[in-house]
Amino acid sequence: GLLPVSGIGGVASWQDAAEYMLLGASTVQVCTAVMWGGYGIIDKMIEGLSKYMEDKGFANVSDMVGRANALVESSIANLKHVLA
């Protein structure tokens, strides 16, 4: 089976959390953002993520996990057209 992945590092907004989940994280950890902005940032993250999920038609968080993996390139060599 697959190992669970937790997204951590640089999570300061609901968008950051969503990106981690879309790339396969089943949990997201927030620390520094809370230290700088207080616990209220969690409410903002929940609100933003809930709206995003509703807008995109995700019924629950597990529906999001890994959805963007098909878009990840396996090698930087596949990005030649972008780098040219």
Side-chain angles (χ1 to χ4, degrees):
L2 297 175
L3 293 175
V5 173
S6 184
I8 185 168
V11 181
S13 68
W14 70 264
Q15 293 95 330
D16 297 331
E19 287 175 3
Y20 272 118
M21 288 187 273
L22 291 167
L23 288 171
S26 55
T27 64
V28 177
Q29 299 179 50
V30 180
C31 182
T32 305
V34 172
M35 290 178 1
W36 284 103
Y39 289 108
I41 195 165
I42 300 299
D43 292 330
K44 292 177 185 175
M45 288 180 170
I46 291 170
E47 183 181 322
L49 192 56
S50 295
K51 183 173 180 348
Y52 173 79
M53 290 175 60
E54 185 178 321
D55 291 348
K56 298 296 182 184
F58 293 120
N60 53 57
V61 171
S62 63
D63 290 345
M64 292 179 60
V65 176
R67 290 292 295 267
N69 287 345
L71 303 174
V72 175
E73 293 290 345
S74 59
S75 168
I76 194 164
N78 297 338
L79 300 175
K80 285 185 212 175
H81 63 284
V82 175
L83 302 173

Coordinates of all heavy atoms in Angstrom, one line a residue:
G1 N 0.8 -1.2 0.0 CA 0.0 0.0 0.0 C 0.9 1.2 0.0 O 2.1 1.2 0.1
L2 N 0.2 2.3 -0.1 CA 0.9 3.6 -0.1 C 1.1 4.1 1.3 O 0.3 3.9 2.2 CB 0.0 4.7 -0.8 CG -0.2 4.4 -2.3 CD1 -1.2 5.5 -2.9 CD2 1.1 4.4 -3.1
L3 N 2.3 4.8 1.5 CA 2.6 5.4 2.8 C 1.8 6.7 2.9 O 1.8 7.5 1.9 CB 4.1 5.6 3.0 CG 4.9 4.4 3.0 CD1 6.4 4.8 3.0 CD2 4.6 3.6 4.3
P4 N 1.3 7.0 4.1 CA 0.7 8.3 4.2 C 1.7 9.4 4.2 O 2.8 9.3 4.7 CB 0.0 8.3 5.6 CG 0.7 7.1 6.3 CD 1.2 6.2 5.3
V5 N 1.4 10.6 3.6 CA 2.2 11.7 3.5 C 1.6 12.9 4.2 O 0.4 13.1 4.1 CB 2.5 12.1 2.0 CG1 3.3 13.4 1.9 CG2 3.2 11.0 1.3
S6 N 2.4 13.6 5.0 CA 1.9 14.8 5.7 C 2.6 16.0 5.1 O 3.8 16.1 5.0 CB 2.1 14.8 7.2 OG 1.5 15.9 7.8
G7 N 1.8 17.0 4.6 CA 2.4 18.2 4.1 C 2.8 19.2 5.2 O 2.1 19.5 6.1
I8 N 4.1 19.6 5.2 CA 4.6 20.5 6.2 C 5.7 21.4 5.6 O 6.4 21.0 4.7 CB 5.1 19.7 7.4 CG1 5.5 20.7 8.5 CG2 6.3 18.8 7.1 CD1 5.8 20.1 9.9
G9 N 5.7 22.6 6.0 CA 6.7 23.6 5.6 C 6.1 24.6 4.6 O 5.7 24.3 3.6
G10 N 6.1 25.8 5.1 CA 5.6 26.9 4.2 C 4.1 27.0 4.1 O 3.6 27.7 3.2
V11 N 3.3 26.3 5.0 CA 1.9 26.4 4.9 C 1.4 27.6 5.6 O 1.4 27.7 6.9 CB 1.2 25.1 5.5 CG1 -0.3 25.2 5.4 CG2 1.8 23.8 4.9
A12 N 0.9 28.6 4.9 CA 0.5 29.9 5.5 C -0.9 30.3 5.0 O -1.4 31.3 5.5 CB 1.5 31.0 5.1
S13 N -1.5 29.5 4.1 CA -2.8 29.8 3.6 C -3.6 28.5 3.2 O -3.0 27.5 3.1 CB -2.7 30.7 2.4 OG -2.1 29.9 1.3
W14 N -4.9 28.7 3.0 CA -5.6 27.5 2.6 C -5.1 27.0 1.2 O -5.2 25.8 0.9 CB -7.1 27.8 2.5 CG -7.6 28.8 1.5 CD1 -7.8 30.1 1.6 CD2 -7.9 28.4 0.1 NE1 -8.2 30.6 0.4 CE2 -8.2 29.6 -0.6 CE3 -7.8 27.3 -0.6 CZ2 -8.6 29.7 -1.9 CZ3 -8.2 27.3 -2.0 CH2 -8.6 28.5 -2.6
Q15 N -4.6 27.9 0.4 CA -4.1 27.5 -1.0 C -2.9 26.6 -0.8 O -2.8 25.6 -1.5 CB -3.7 28.8 -1.8 CG -4.9 29.6 -2.2 CD -5.2 30.8 -1.3 OE1 -4.9 30.7 -0.1 NE2 -5.7 31.9 -1.8
D16 N -2.0 26.9 0.2 CA -0.9 26.1 0.4 C -1.3 24.7 0.8 O -0.8 23.7 0.4 CB 0.0 26.7 1.5 CG 0.6 28.0 1.1 OD1 0.9 28.3 -0.1 OD2 0.8 28.8 2.1
A17 N -2.3 24.6 1.7 CA -2.8 23.4 2.2 C -3.4 22.6 1.1 O -3.2 21.4 0.9 CB -3.8 23.6 3.3
A18 N -4.2 23.2 0.2 CA -4.8 22.6 -0.9 C -3.8 22.0 -1.9 O -3.9 20.9 -2.3 CB -5.7 23.6 -1.7
E19 N -2.7 22.8 -2.1 CA -1.7 22.3 -3.0 C -1.0 21.0 -2.5 O -0.8 20.0 -3.2 CB -0.6 23.3 -3.2 CG -1.1 24.5 -4.1 CD -0.1 25.6 -4.2 OE1 1.0 25.5 -3.6 OE2 -0.4 26.6 -4.9
Y20 N -0.7 21.0 -1.2 CA -0.2 19.8 -0.6 C -1.1 18.6 -0.7 O -0.7 17.5 -1.1 CB 0.1 20.0 0.9 CG 1.5 20.5 1.2 CD1 1.6 21.8 1.8 CD2 2.6 19.8 0.9 CE1 2.9 22.3 2.1 CE2 3.9 20.3 1.2 CZ 4.0 21.6 1.8 OH 5.2 22.1 2.1
M21 N -2.4 18.8 -0.4 CA -3.4 17.7 -0.5 C -3.6 17.2 -2.0 O -3.6 16.0 -2.2 CB -4.7 18.1 0.1 CG -4.7 18.2 1.6 SD -6.3 18.5 2.3 CE -6.3 20.3 2.3
L22 N -3.6 18.2 -2.9 CA -3.8 17.8 -4.3 C -2.6 17.0 -4.8 O -2.7 16.2 -5.7 CB -4.0 19.0 -5.2 CG -5.3 19.7 -5.0 CD1 -5.3 21.1 -5.6 CD2 -6.5 18.9 -5.5
L23 N -1.4 17.2 -4.2 CA -0.3 16.4 -4.6 C 0.0 15.2 -3.7 O 1.0 14.5 -3.8 CB 1.0 17.3 -4.5 CG 1.0 18.3 -5.7 CD1 2.1 19.3 -5.5 CD2 1.2 17.6 -7.0
G24 N -1.0 14.8 -2.8 CA -0.9 13.5 -2.2 C -0.9 13.5 -0.6 O -0.9 12.5 0.0
A25 N -0.8 14.7 0.0 CA -0.8 14.7 1.4 C -2.2 14.5 2.0 O -3.1 15.2 1.6 CB -0.2 16.1 1.9
S26 N -2.3 13.6 2.9 CA -3.6 13.3 3.6 C -3.7 14.1 4.8 O -4.9 14.2 5.3 CB -3.7 11.8 3.9 OG -2.7 11.4 4.7
T27 N -2.7 14.7 5.3 CA -2.7 15.7 6.4 C -1.8 16.9 6.1 O -0.9 16.7 5.3 CB -2.3 15.1 7.8 OG1 -0.9 14.7 7.7 CG2 -3.1 13.9 8.1
V28 N -2.1 18.0 6.7 CA -1.2 19.2 6.5 C -1.0 19.8 7.9 O -1.9 19.9 8.7 CB -1.9 20.2 5.6 CG1 -1.1 21.5 5.5 CG2 -2.2 19.6 4.3
Q29 N 0.3 20.1 8.2 CA 0.7 20.6 9.5 C 1.0 22.1 9.3 O 1.6 22.6 8.4 CB 1.9 19.9 10.0 CG 1.7 18.4 10.2 CD 3.0 17.7 10.7 OE1 3.6 18.2 11.6 NE2 3.3 16.7 10.0
V30 N 0.5 22.9 10.3 CA 0.7 24.3 10.3 C 1.4 24.7 11.6 O 0.8 24.4 12.7 CB -0.6 25.1 10.1 CG1 -0.4 26.6 10.1 CG2 -1.3 24.6 8.8
C31 N 2.5 25.4 11.6 CA 3.1 25.8 12.9 C 3.5 27.3 12.8 O 2.9 28.1 13.6 CB 4.3 25.0 13.2 SG 5.1 25.4 14.7
T32 N 4.4 27.7 12.0 CA 4.9 29.1 11.9 C 3.8 30.1 11.7 O 3.8 31.1 12.3 CB 6.1 29.2 10.9 OG1 7.1 28.2 11.2 CG2 6.7 30.6 11.0
A33 N 2.9 29.7 10.8 CA 1.8 30.7 10.5 C 1.0 31.0 11.7 O 0.5 32.1 11.9 CB 0.9 30.1 9.4
V34 N 0.8 30.0 12.5 CA 0.0 30.2 13.8 C 0.9 31.0 14.8 O 0.3 31.9 15.5 CB -0.4 28.8 14.4 CG1 -0.9 29.0 15.8 CG2 -1.3 28.1 13.5
M35 N 2.2 30.7 14.8 CA 3.0 31.5 15.7 C 3.0 33.0 15.3 O 3.0 33.9 16.2 CB 4.5 31.0 15.7 CG 4.6 29.6 16.3 SD 6.2 28.8 16.3 CE 7.3 29.9 15.5
W36 N 3.0 33.3 14.0 CA 3.0 34.7 13.6 C 1.6 35.3 13.6 O 1.5 36.5 13.9 CB 3.6 34.8 12.2 CG 5.1 34.6 12.1 CD1 5.8 33.5 11.8 CD2 6.1 35.6 12.5 NE1 7.2 33.8 11.9 CE2 7.3 35.1 12.3 CE3 6.0 36.9 13.0 CZ2 8.5 35.8 12.6 CZ3 7.1 37.6 13.2 CH2 8.4 37.0 13.1
G37 N 0.6 34.5 13.2 CA -0.7 35.1 13.0 C -1.7 34.7 14.0 O -2.9 35.2 14.0
G38 N -1.4 33.8 14.9 CA -2.4 33.4 15.9 C -3.3 32.3 15.4 O -3.2 31.9 14.2
Y39 N -4.0 31.7 16.3 CA -4.8 30.5 15.9 C -6.0 30.9 15.0 O -6.5 30.0 14.3 CB -5.4 29.8 17.2 CG -4.4 29.1 18.0 CD1 -3.9 29.6 19.2 CD2 -3.8 27.9 17.5 CE1 -3.0 28.9 19.9 CE2 -2.9 27.2 18.2 CZ -2.4 27.7 19.4 OH -1.5 27.1 20.1
G40 N -6.3 32.1 14.9 CA -7.4 32.6 13.9 C -7.1 32.2 12.5 O -8.0 32.0 11.7
I41 N -5.8 32.0 12.2 CA -5.5 31.7 10.8 C -6.0 30.3 10.4 O -6.4 30.1 9.3 CB -3.9 31.7 10.6 CG1 -3.6 31.7 9.1 CG2 -3.2 30.6 11.3 CD1 -2.2 32.1 8.7
I42 N -6.2 29.4 11.4 CA -6.8 28.1 11.1 C -8.2 28.3 10.7 O -8.6 27.6 9.7 CB -6.7 27.2 12.4 CG1 -5.2 27.0 12.8 CG2 -7.4 25.9 12.1 CD1 -4.3 26.4 11.8
D43 N -9.0 29.1 11.3 CA -10.4 29.4 10.9 C -10.4 29.9 9.4 O -11.2 29.5 8.7 CB -11.1 30.4 11.8 CG -11.3 29.8 13.2 OD1 -11.4 28.6 13.3 OD2 -11.3 30.6 14.2
K44 N -9.5 30.8 9.1 CA -9.4 31.3 7.7 C -9.1 30.2 6.7 O -9.6 30.1 5.6 CB -8.4 32.4 7.6 CG -8.8 33.7 8.4 CD -7.7 34.7 8.3 CE -8.1 35.9 9.1 NZ -7.0 36.9 9.2
M45 N -8.2 29.3 7.1 CA -7.8 28.2 6.3 C -9.0 27.2 6.1 O -9.2 26.8 4.9 CB -6.6 27.4 6.9 CG -5.3 28.2 6.8 SD -4.0 27.1 7.5 CE -2.6 28.1 7.0
I46 N -9.7 26.9 7.1 CA -10.8 26.0 7.0 C -11.9 26.7 6.1 O -12.5 26.0 5.3 CB -11.4 25.7 8.4 CG1 -10.4 24.8 9.2 CG2 -12.7 25.0 8.3 CD1 -10.7 24.6 10.6
E47 N -12.1 27.9 6.3 CA -13.2 28.7 5.5 C -12.8 28.7 4.0 O -13.6 28.3 3.2 CB -13.3 30.1 6.0 CG -14.4 30.9 5.3 CD -14.4 32.3 5.9 OE1 -14.3 32.5 7.1 OE2 -14.6 33.2 5.0
G48 N -11.5 29.0 3.7 CA -11.1 29.1 2.3 C -11.1 27.7 1.7 O -11.5 27.5 0.6
L49 N -10.6 26.7 2.4 CA -10.5 25.3 1.9 C -11.9 24.8 1.7 O -12.2 24.1 0.7 CB -9.7 24.4 2.8 CG -9.3 23.1 2.3 CD1 -8.5 23.2 1.0 CD2 -8.5 22.3 3.3
S50 N -12.8 25.1 2.6 CA -14.2 24.6 2.4 C -14.9 25.2 1.2 O -15.5 24.5 0.4 CB -15.0 25.0 3.7 OG -14.6 24.3 4.8
K51 N -14.6 26.5 1.0 CA -15.2 27.1 -0.2 C -14.6 26.6 -1.5 O -15.3 26.3 -2.4 CB -15.0 28.6 -0.1 CG -15.6 29.4 -1.3 CD -15.6 30.9 -1.2 CE -16.2 31.6 -2.3 NZ -16.5 31.0 -3.5
Y52 N -13.3 26.4 -1.5 CA -12.6 25.8 -2.6 C -13.2 24.4 -3.0 O -13.5 24.1 -4.1 CB -11.1 25.7 -2.4 CG -10.3 24.9 -3.4 CD1 -10.0 25.6 -4.6 CD2 -10.0 23.6 -3.2 CE1 -9.3 24.9 -5.6 CE2 -9.3 22.9 -4.2 CZ -8.9 23.6 -5.4 OH -8.3 22.9 -6.4
M53 N -13.3 23.6 -1.9 CA -13.8 22.2 -2.1 C -15.3 22.2 -2.7 O -15.6 21.5 -3.6 CB -13.8 21.4 -0.8 CG -12.4 21.1 -0.3 SD -12.4 20.3 1.3 CE -13.4 18.9 1.0
E54 N -16.1 23.1 -2.1 CA -17.4 23.3 -2.7 C -17.4 23.7 -4.1 O -18.1 23.1 -4.9 CB -18.2 24.3 -1.8 CG -19.7 24.4 -2.2 CD -20.4 25.4 -1.3 OE1 -20.1 25.4 -0.1 OE2 -21.2 26.2 -1.8
D55 N -16.6 24.7 -4.4 CA -16.5 25.2 -5.8 C -16.1 24.2 -6.8 O -16.5 24.1 -7.9 CB -15.6 26.4 -5.9 CG -16.1 27.7 -5.2 OD1 -17.3 27.7 -4.9 OD2 -15.3 28.6 -5.0
K56 N -15.1 23.3 -6.3 CA -14.6 22.2 -7.2 C -15.4 20.9 -7.2 O -15.1 20.0 -7.9 CB -13.1 22.0 -6.8 CG -12.2 23.2 -7.0 CD -12.1 23.6 -8.5 CE -11.2 24.7 -8.7 NZ -11.2 25.2 -10.0
G57 N -16.4 20.8 -6.3 CA -17.2 19.6 -6.2 C -16.6 18.5 -5.4 O -17.0 17.3 -5.6
F58 N -15.6 18.8 -4.5 CA -15.1 17.7 -3.7 C -16.0 17.6 -2.5 O -16.3 18.5 -1.7 CB -13.7 18.1 -3.2 CG -12.6 18.2 -4.2 CD1 -12.0 19.4 -4.5 CD2 -12.3 17.1 -5.0 CE1 -11.0 19.5 -5.5 CE2 -11.4 17.2 -6.0 CZ -10.7 18.3 -6.2
A59 N -16.5 16.3 -2.3 CA -17.4 16.0 -1.1 C -16.6 16.0 0.2 O -17.2 16.3 1.2 CB -18.1 14.7 -1.4
N60 N -15.4 15.6 0.2 CA -14.6 15.5 1.4 C -13.1 15.6 1.0 O -12.7 15.6 -0.2 CB -14.8 14.2 2.2 CG -14.7 13.0 1.3 OD1 -13.6 12.8 0.7 ND2 -15.7 12.2 1.2
V61 N -12.3 15.8 2.0 CA -10.8 16.0 1.8 C -10.2 14.8 1.1 O -9.4 15.0 0.2 CB -10.1 16.3 3.2 CG1 -8.6 16.3 3.0 CG2 -10.6 17.6 3.8
S62 N -10.6 13.6 1.4 CA -10.0 12.5 0.7 C -10.2 12.5 -0.8 O -9.4 11.9 -1.5 CB -10.4 11.2 1.4 OG -11.8 11.0 1.2
D63 N -11.2 13.2 -1.3 CA -11.4 13.3 -2.7 C -10.3 14.1 -3.4 O -10.1 14.0 -4.6 CB -12.8 13.9 -3.0 CG -14.0 13.0 -2.7 OD1 -13.7 11.8 -2.5 OD2 -15.1 13.5 -2.6
M64 N -9.7 15.0 -2.6 CA -8.7 15.9 -3.1 C -7.3 15.2 -3.2 O -6.5 15.6 -4.0 CB -8.5 17.1 -2.2 CG -9.7 18.1 -2.3 SD -9.4 19.5 -1.2 CE -8.0 20.2 -1.8
V65 N -7.0 14.3 -2.3 CA -5.7 13.8 -2.1 C -5.2 13.1 -3.3 O -5.8 12.2 -3.8 CB -5.6 12.8 -0.9 CG1 -4.2 12.2 -0.7 CG2 -6.0 13.6 0.4
G66 N -4.1 13.7 -3.9 CA -3.4 13.1 -5.0 C -4.0 13.4 -6.4 O -3.6 13.0 -7.4
R67 N -5.1 14.3 -6.4 CA -5.7 14.5 -7.7 C -4.8 15.2 -8.8 O -5.1 15.1 -10.0 CB -7.0 15.4 -7.5 CG -8.1 14.8 -6.8 CD -8.8 13.7 -7.6 NE -9.4 14.2 -8.8 CZ -10.7 14.5 -8.9 NH1 -11.5 14.4 -7.9 NH2 -11.2 15.0 -10.0
A68 N -3.8 15.9 -8.3 CA -2.9 16.6 -9.3 C -1.7 15.8 -9.7 O -0.9 16.2 -10.5 CB -2.5 18.0 -8.7
N69 N -1.6 14.6 -9.1 CA -0.4 13.8 -9.4 C -0.2 13.5 -10.9 O 1.0 13.4 -11.4 CB -0.3 12.5 -8.6 CG -0.1 12.8 -7.1 OD1 0.4 13.9 -6.8 ND2 -0.3 11.9 -6.3
A70 N -1.2 13.4 -11.6 CA -1.1 13.1 -13.1 C -0.5 14.2 -13.8 O 0.0 14.0 -14.9 CB -2.5 12.7 -13.6
L71 N -0.5 15.4 -13.2 CA 0.1 16.6 -13.9 C 1.6 16.8 -13.6 O 2.2 17.6 -14.2 CB -0.7 17.8 -13.5 CG -2.2 17.8 -13.7 CD1 -2.8 19.0 -13.1 CD2 -2.5 17.7 -15.2
V72 N 2.1 16.0 -12.7 CA 3.5 16.2 -12.3 C 4.4 15.5 -13.3 O 4.2 14.3 -13.7 CB 3.7 15.6 -10.9 CG1 5.2 15.6 -10.5 CG2 2.9 16.3 -9.8
E73 N 5.4 16.2 -13.8 CA 6.3 15.6 -14.7 C 7.3 14.7 -14.0 O 7.8 15.0 -12.9 CB 7.1 16.7 -15.5 CG 6.2 17.5 -16.4 CD 5.7 16.7 -17.6 OE1 6.3 15.6 -17.9 OE2 4.8 17.2 -18.3
S74 N 7.7 13.6 -14.6 CA 8.7 12.7 -14.0 C 10.1 13.1 -14.1 O 11.0 12.6 -13.4 CB 8.5 11.3 -14.6 OG 8.8 11.4 -16.0
S75 N 10.4 14.1 -14.9 CA 11.8 14.5 -15.1 C 11.8 16.0 -15.6 O 10.9 16.4 -16.4 CB 12.5 13.6 -16.1 OG 13.7 14.2 -16.5
I76 N 12.8 16.7 -15.2 CA 12.9 18.1 -15.7 C 13.1 18.1 -17.2 O 12.8 19.0 -17.9 CB 14.0 18.8 -15.0 CG1 13.9 20.3 -15.3 CG2 15.4 18.3 -15.4 CD1 14.7 21.2 -14.3
A77 N 13.6 17.0 -17.8 CA 13.8 16.9 -19.2 C 12.5 17.0 -20.0 O 12.5 17.5 -21.1 CB 14.5 15.6 -19.6
N78 N 11.4 16.7 -19.3 CA 10.1 16.8 -19.9 C 9.6 18.2 -20.0 O 8.6 18.5 -20.6 CB 9.1 15.9 -19.2 CG 9.4 14.5 -19.2 OD1 10.1 14.0 -20.1 ND2 8.9 13.7 -18.2
L79 N 10.3 19.1 -19.4 CA 10.0 20.5 -19.4 C 10.8 21.4 -20.3 O 10.7 22.6 -20.3 CB 10.1 21.1 -17.9 CG 9.3 20.4 -16.9 CD1 9.6 21.0 -15.5 CD2 7.8 20.6 -17.1
K80 N 11.5 20.8 -21.3 CA 12.3 21.5 -22.2 C 11.5 22.6 -22.9 O 12.0 23.7 -23.1 CB 12.9 20.6 -23.3 CG 14.0 19.7 -22.8 CD 14.6 18.9 -23.9 CE 15.0 17.6 -23.5 NZ 15.5 16.8 -24.6
H81 N 10.3 22.3 -23.3 CA 9.4 23.3 -24.0 C 9.2 24.5 -23.1 O 9.0 25.6 -23.6 CB 8.1 22.7 -24.5 CG 7.3 22.2 -23.3 ND1 7.5 21.0 -22.6 CD2 6.2 22.7 -22.8 CE1 6.6 20.9 -21.7 NE2 5.8 21.9 -21.7
V82 N 9.2 24.4 -21.8 CA 9.0 25.5 -20.9 C 10.3 26.3 -20.7 O 10.2 27.5 -20.6 CB 8.4 25.0 -19.5 CG1 8.3 26.1 -18.6 CG2 7.1 24.3 -19.7
L83 N 11.4 25.6 -20.7 CA 12.6 26.2 -20.4 C 13.3 26.8 -21.6 O 14.2 27.6 -21.5 CB 13.6 25.1 -19.8 CG 13.1 24.5 -18.5 CD1 14.1 23.4 -18.1 CD2 13.0 25.5 -17.4
A84 N 12.8 26.5 -22.8 CA 13.4 27.0 -24.0 C 13.1 28.5 -24.2 O 12.2 29.1 -23.8 CB 12.9 26.2 -25.2

